[in-house]
């Protein structure tokens, strides 16, 4: 009997076209998508999307790993927003002396005081969101409804089933199988994928993965494509029946299962992804500049003290730059060798300095000894 061959079209909607027919599917929402709820500009749009997630939580696949990552990074995302917010706290105007007695100046000062008071009130509200999420953070509160929901598709920690999934994830990680990032020392992505496979097997439903990083696939020609290995593994496990779909839009996932969406939801998600791409481009340019500086430093045959800050600044930029994709993979691959080269140069320089200091001390002692003898 001939063996049935695997093809992408059996499991992946490669053109990401969404027709009007409903798909019997479950939805896995990656942590990066959940954190983006703090980046949506219009709070009512954010709440609408969250309300639909809560309303259809029986369709949601999630794990204790997703919950941990969300709670681990929530404060970081909020902190970034707060930093940007307080940058514009002070509004100062230099009024020419000749205008100081004008009525408009008095009105301007009053308006400035009102703005300052509003800003302080917003800062206080923001601090409550940061410090007391259980009572003040609407995103946190709604997602808690999902994490605490009793569902066969939610993997809780410290259960017999979670131990089985963790063991499978450890084996996957040790073999170097995706999903995992290069130089990754965590099995978190593997835990999520093993649980996705388990839910697909038990339910015999298709799976929609919503993610905005490269854990499960790559963007090509502005469309997400699932990793070849993961697509093949899914097909083997599910015997070619259910499909697996990767998208970076939560609204696309909603369309597949006919959850109602609005034009504002779609537009706001497009803005988020567009802004994130802009940030990635800025990071990529910063990375390129840092690499060029570092490479120039590494090519210097004789390292002098004036060069120390150059390569140290470059290393700091690289460590602090958040970038996903090929450039990030290159850094992870090259960084250890660069660091080794730097350390060797530093050690060599230190050794030469020590030898020079010893020789200088010897010369000084010999001169003093010669002077005494004379």
């Amino acid at each position: 009997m001939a063996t049935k061959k695997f093809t992408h079209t059996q499991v992946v909607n490669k053109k990401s076209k969404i027709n009007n027919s409903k798909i019997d599917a479950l939805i896995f929402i990656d942590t990066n998508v959940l954190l983006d709820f703090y980046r949506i500009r219009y709070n009512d749009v954010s709440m609408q999307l969250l309300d639909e997630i809560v309303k259809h939580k029986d369709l949601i696949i999630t794990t204790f790993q997703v919950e941990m990552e969300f709670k681990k990074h929530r404060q970081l995302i909020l902190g970034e927003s707060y930093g940007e917010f307080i940058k514009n706290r002070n509004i100062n105007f230099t009024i020419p002396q000749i205008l100081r007695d004008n009525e408009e100046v008095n009105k301007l000062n009053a308006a400035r005081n009102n703005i300052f008071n509003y800003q302080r009130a917003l800062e206080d509200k923001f601090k409550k969101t940061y410090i007391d999420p259980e009572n003040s953070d609407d995103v946190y509160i709604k997602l808690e409804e999902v994490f605490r929901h009793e569902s066969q598709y939610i993997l809780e920690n410290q259960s017999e089933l979670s131990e089985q999934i963790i063991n499978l994830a450890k084996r996957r990680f040790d073999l170097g199988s995706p999903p995992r990032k290069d130089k990754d020392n965590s099995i978190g992505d593997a835990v999520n994928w093993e649980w996705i496979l388990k839910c697909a097997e038990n339910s015999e439903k298709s799976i929609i993965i919503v993610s905005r990083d490269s854990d499960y696939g790559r963007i090509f020609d502005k469309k997400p494509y699932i990793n070849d290995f993961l697509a093949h593994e899914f097909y083997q496990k599910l015997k070619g029946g259910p499909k697996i779909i990767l998208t970076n839009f939560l609204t696309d996932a909603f369309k597949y299962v006919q959850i109602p969406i609005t034009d504002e939801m779609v537009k706001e998600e497009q803005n988020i992804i567009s802004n994130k791409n802009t940030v990635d481009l800025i990071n990529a340019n910063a990375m390129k500049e840092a690499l060029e500086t570092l490479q120039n430093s590494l090519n210097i045959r004789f390292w002098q003290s004036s060069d120390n800050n150059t390569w140290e600044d470059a290393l700091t930029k690289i460590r602090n730059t958040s970038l996903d994709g090929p450039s990030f993979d290159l850094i992870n691959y090259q960084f250890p060798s660069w660091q080794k080269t730097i350390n060797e140069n530093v050690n060599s320089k230190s050794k030469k300095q020590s030898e020079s200091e010893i020789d200088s001390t010897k010369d000084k002692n010999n001169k003093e000894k010669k002077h005494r003898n004379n």
Side-chain angles (χ1 to χ4, degrees):
M1 183 176 177
T3 303
K4 194 174 182 181
K5 291 184 178 180
F6 158 77
T7 62
H8 275 82
T9 53
Q10 290 170 302
V11 293
V12 184
N13 187 337
K14 298 204 63 162
K15 294 185 178 180
S16 298
K17 290 183 179 178
I18 304 172
N19 54 36
N20 293 325
S21 60
K22 182 177 180 180
I23 296 178
D24 186 20
L26 302 173
I27 303 173
F28 172 81
I29 308 172
D30 207 0
T31 311
N32 51 75
V33 178
L34 299 180
L35 290 170
D36 277 345
F37 280 113
Y38 293 109
R39 298 185 177 100
I40 294 179
R41 294 175 300 173
Y42 303 108
N43 192 52
D44 58 334
V45 176
S46 177
M47 290 302 105
Q48 287 171 23
L49 286 165
L50 278 168
D51 285 340
E52 293 301 335
I53 291 175
V54 173
K55 193 183 301 182
H56 298 88
K57 54 184 176 288
D58 286 335
L59 299 179
I60 303 299
I61 296 174
T62 195
T63 68
F64 61 86
Q65 178 69 25
V66 171
E67 179 184 0
M68 180 277 291
E69 289 177 355
F70 170 77
K71 293 178 178 177
K72 175 183 176 182
H73 295 291
R74 184 194 74 94
Q75 290 172 315
L76 175 64
I77 302 299
L78 284 175
E80 291 172 356
S81 301
Y82 185 72
E84 289 296 316
F85 176 61
I86 63 174
K87 275 183 183 178
N88 302 314
R89 176 188 289 163
N90 297 319
I91 303 175
N92 295 313
F93 301 100
T94 301
I95 307 296
Q97 187 63 38
I98 196 171
L99 300 176
R100 288 188 180 276
D101 293 333
N102 283 8
E103 182 182 352
E104 287 80 2
V105 174
N106 294 330
K107 292 180 179 179
L108 180 63
N109 288 330
R112 181 169 54 187
N113 290 334
N114 286 336
I115 291 173
F116 177 76
N117 291 332
Y118 288 138
Q119 284 181 319
R120 291 301 299 266
L122 287 172
E123 286 178 33
D124 290 341
K125 186 174 182 180
F126 194 101
K127 288 175 183 177
K128 288 180 181 178
T129 301
Y130 188 95
I131 296 169
D132 185 20
E134 290 87 354
N135 296 304
S136 304
D137 182 349
D138 290 336
V139 175
Y140 185 101
I141 292 168
K142 287 186 180 295
L143 288 178
E144 274 292 284
E145 286 190 59
V146 178
F147 294 139
R148 302 281 78 82
H149 180 53
E150 291 187 11
S151 167
Q152 59 181 318
Y153 305 127
I154 295 178
L155 181 64
E156 296 182 347
N157 200 5
Q158 297 179 338
S159 65
E160 184 177 340
L161 186 55
S162 68
E163 290 302 314
Q164 294 174 12
I165 295 297
I166 288 171
N167 288 333
L168 290 170
K170 286 179 179 177
R171 182 176 183 275
R172 173 180 293 274
F173 185 87
D174 290 341
L175 291 172
S177 301
R180 63 173 291 185
K181 301 178 181 72
D182 291 340
K183 306 295 180 182
D184 203 346
N185 57 4
S186 167
I187 64 170
D189 291 334
V191 167
N192 291 336
W193 176 251
E194 290 291 348
W195 183 239
I196 289 171
L197 288 177
K198 188 73 172 176
C199 291
E201 286 183 282
N202 290 344
S203 67
E204 297 184 345
K205 295 177 181 288
S206 294
I207 301 295
I208 304 169
I209 296 176
V210 188
S211 181
R212 293 175 187 148
D213 61 24
S214 59
D215 291 345
Y216 301 96
R218 292 284 183 179
I219 300 292
F220 178 74
D221 195 23
K222 298 182 180 180
K223 299 182 183 70
Y225 292 86
I226 196 160
N227 178 279
D228 290 338
F229 182 89
L230 299 180
H232 184 78
E233 182 180 20
F234 187 89
Y235 171 75
Q236 288 185 316
K237 290 271 188 182
L238 277 297
K239 312 298 181 186
K243 295 183 178 182
I244 184 162
I245 300 168
L246 177 65
T247 178
N248 50 355
F249 285 94
L250 184 59
T251 47
D252 278 357
F254 285 178
K255 289 177 186 176
Y256 281 120
V257 295
Q258 295 188 351
I259 293 175
I261 61 171
T262 65
D263 291 340
E264 288 77 14
M265 292 178 185
V266 175
K267 183 178 179 180
E268 198 52 43
E269 272 206 300
Q270 289 171 343
N271 287 334
I272 288 174
I273 292 176
S274 176
N275 290 337
K276 289 184 76 172
N277 289 340
T278 301
V279 170
D280 284 346
L281 180 60
I282 293 170
N283 286 340
N285 290 333
M287 181 75 77
K288 181 181 178 183
E289 181 183 340
L291 288 178
E292 289 174 351
T293 304
L294 183 57
Q295 284 285 42
N296 290 335
S297 299
L298 290 176
N299 290 332
I300 296 175
R301 184 170 296 179
F302 300 102
W303 286 48
Q304 310 205 1
S305 58
S306 59
D307 298 317
N308 286 354
N309 289 336
T310 304
W311 55 260
E312 285 179 356
D313 287 346
L315 284 178
T316 301
K317 284 182 182 179
I318 289 171
R319 291 192 189 102
N320 293 339
T321 298
S322 173
L323 182 68
D324 190 30
S327 298
F328 183 75
D329 295 339
L330 173 65
I331 297 305
N332 277 334
Y333 177 75
Q334 294 281 13
F335 191 82
S337 63
W338 288 337
Q339 203 163 32
K340 181 180 178 183
T341 305
I342 288 169
N343 290 337
E344 287 174 352
N345 279 281
V346 171
N347 292 336
S348 174
K349 179 187 168 187
S350 299
K351 184 178 179 181
K352 288 178 181 177
Q353 284 180 336
S354 299
E355 290 174 350
S356 176
E357 289 172 0
I358 292 172
D359 291 340
S360 177
T361 302
K362 284 182 179 179
D363 289 341
K364 184 178 179 181
N365 291 337
N366 288 335
K367 287 179 181 179
E368 289 177 352
K369 184 177 180 181
K370 185 177 181 181
H371 180 74
R372 285 196 299 270
N373 289 338
N374 290 336

